[in-house]
Amino acid sequence: MKANALTELRSQKLAGKPPTAEAPRALSVVPGKSDSKSGGTRRTTATMSLYPADLDRLKEIRRKLEDHGIKRVSDSEAVRVALRHVELSADELVAAYRAMQADDQRRKQE
Amino acid sequence: MIISFVNGKGGAGKTTTAILVAMALREAGHAAAVRDLDPQRTATRWLSDQPELLDTAAPIQLLDTPPRLESATVADAIRQADSVIVVSRPSPCDLFTSQDTAALVSKLRALDKTRLLFTNVREKTILARGLDQTAQEIGIKPLKVHLQLREAYQHAVLAGWKALTQEAREEVGRVALAIVTVLH
Ligand SMILES: Nc1ncnc2c1ncn2[C@@H]1O[C@H](COP(=O)(O)OP(=O)(O)O)[C@@H](O)[C@H]1O
Ligand SMILES: [Mg+2]
């Protein structure tokens, strides 16, 4: 056993490996005009800023669906699947929101 | 740098361990803090007198996760981390949840930066002697060091590093060192 772990811990270079900076990338969910009709129901066009982690998540949703034979899922469809699927539990939502805010803050500080 | 502390069971020692490791890292001059992802907000409450340990801007973030393996928060914490620490008590009753936790981690990422950390260990008991065997059953490589069951740890999460004896400080220091060494 080491005589003094804290001394050794002090000499560790940790700052050299900060969390990977994520550049924001905008994803245009539906390119083109705003409000339009689709099969008689109202559809709203939205443009949102997503980060690589979000895009990875969308890709994962698409991949999961593809594994089950559902091909060519669009970005909007993937977002809509996520919205339908999300558990509307206050605890989960608040925790997820906090984690997201903390990530955003961290990104800003970099 | 992100290190996530996980186990599907409440009471495994995630929050206590994350706080102790953050304290040791800070004692050693590293800007570490705990990020409380548990909706019960145990860490946030315990650390009300030590707000610097909750600094969300610290470059080293130790994620304290909720005891729910089906939660998306836990999955994200496992995926985002540079290293995942599965925190477990050595008791046979905790074995099953630790195995479930191990299964979840290996579903979500490679295990090379994942380690098992035993806590609440009572030295010289049969359970303490069987740690290697228990680790094998859980299926995650154990750190070579563990945290003993110490009342001082329960005080320290509220009162800070000064509540620890020299021996306890040394123990937490060894654990923190072992955890950051995994990242090299
Ligand atoms: N090494 C330890 N020695 C003594 N008590 C501990 C230790 N680790 C955790 N505890 C105690 O066990 C209980 C559960 O620990 P906690 O960190 O809240 O677990 P979790 O976050 O996994 O639910 C708490 O009362 C805590 O004070
Ligand atoms: Mg906890």
Side-chain angles (χ1 to χ4, degrees), chain B residues 14-169:
Chain B
K14 296 176 286 296
T15 306
T16 305
T17 305
I19 292 175
L20 291 171
V21 171
M23 283 176 181
L25 286 168
R26 287 185 86 89
E27 276 301 307
H30 302 292
V34 174
R35 193 182 301 169
D36 186 1
L37 299 180
D38 189 343
Q40 289 194 359
R41 304 179 68 233
T42 311
T44 306
R45 290 182 197 162
W46 284 354
L47 294 174
S48 61
D49 288 341
Q50 306 174 76
E52 67 283 0
L53 282 170
L54 289 168
D55 176 11
T56 54
I60 304 172
Q61 292 286 320
L62 309 180
L63 309 194
D64 179 27
T65 61
R68 295 172 55 195
L69 294 181
E70 70 287 358
S71 135
T73 310
V74 174
D76 283 346
I78 291 170
R79 282 202 201 89
Q80 287 169 7
D82 296 288
S83 168
V84 176
I85 304 298
V86 175
V87 179
S88 183
R89 289 178 180 241
S91 109
C93 308
D94 291 71
L95 182 64
F96 302 110
T97 330
S98 295
Q99 283 170 332
D100 293 345
T101 310
L104 177 68
V105 178
S106 50
K107 204 178 84 186
L108 296 175
R109 61 181 290 150
L111 288 182
D112 57 332
K113 304 275 186 225
T114 299
R115 292 291 182 279
L116 182 65
L117 171 61
F118 287 108
T119 184
N120 284 281
V121 176
R122 287 189 299 140
E123 297 299 338
K124 303 201 176 80
T125 57
I126 290 177
L127 288 179
R129 278 192 218 114
L131 289 184
D132 284 341
Q133 172 66 28
T134 309
Q136 245 175 34
E137 284 168 36
I138 293 172
I140 290 195
K141 195 170 164 187
L143 291 174
K144 290 195 175 66
V145 289
H146 57 250
L147 291 175
Q148 290 189 40
L149 180 127
R150 289 178 197 267
E151 219 172 277
Y153 290 151
Q154 305 187 2
H155 296 303
V157 296
L158 301 173
W161 189 252
K162 62 182 187 298
L164 297 179
T165 60
Q166 194 50 44
E167 200 182 280
R169 289 178 189 190

Side-chain angles (χ1 to χ4, degrees), chain A residues 1-6 8-15 17-20 53 57 60 64 87 89 91-92 95-96 98-99 102-103 105-106 109, chain B residues 1-2 24-25 27-30 35 37 39 41 56-57 59-60 68 71-73 76 79-80 82 145 161 170 173-174 176-177 180-181 183-184:
Chain A
M1 280 292 145
K2 295 275 163 5
N4 193 337
L6 280 186
E8 197 176 339
L9 192 55
R10 197 162 284 127
S11 66
Q12 295 283 308
K13 288 248 176 339
L14 301 180
K17 204 175 166 293
T20 36
R57 193 80 178 166
E60 231 173 299
K64 285 259 151 69
E87 191 190 334
S89 120
D91 278 358
E92 291 285 334
R98 287 224 179 87
D103 282 345
Q105 190 141 33
R106 176 166 54 78
Q109 312 249 336
Chain B
M1 178 190 291
I2 298 176
L25 286 168
E27 276 301 307
H30 302 292
R35 193 182 301 169
L37 299 180
R41 304 179 68 233
T56 54
I60 304 172
R68 295 172 55 195
S71 135
T73 310
D76 283 346
R79 282 202 201 89
Q80 287 169 7
D82 296 288
V145 289
W161 189 252
E170 187 58 26
R174 280 198 300 270
L177 183 61
V180 302
T181 308
L183 290 161
H184 288 169

Side-chain angles (χ1 to χ4, degrees), chain A residues 52-62 78, chain B residues 72 75-76 79:
Chain A
D54 308 317
L55 294 172
D56 286 350
R57 193 80 178 166
L58 284 184
K59 211 189 284 167
E60 231 173 299
I61 292 174
R62 236 182 273 121
Chain B
D76 283 346
R79 282 202 201 89

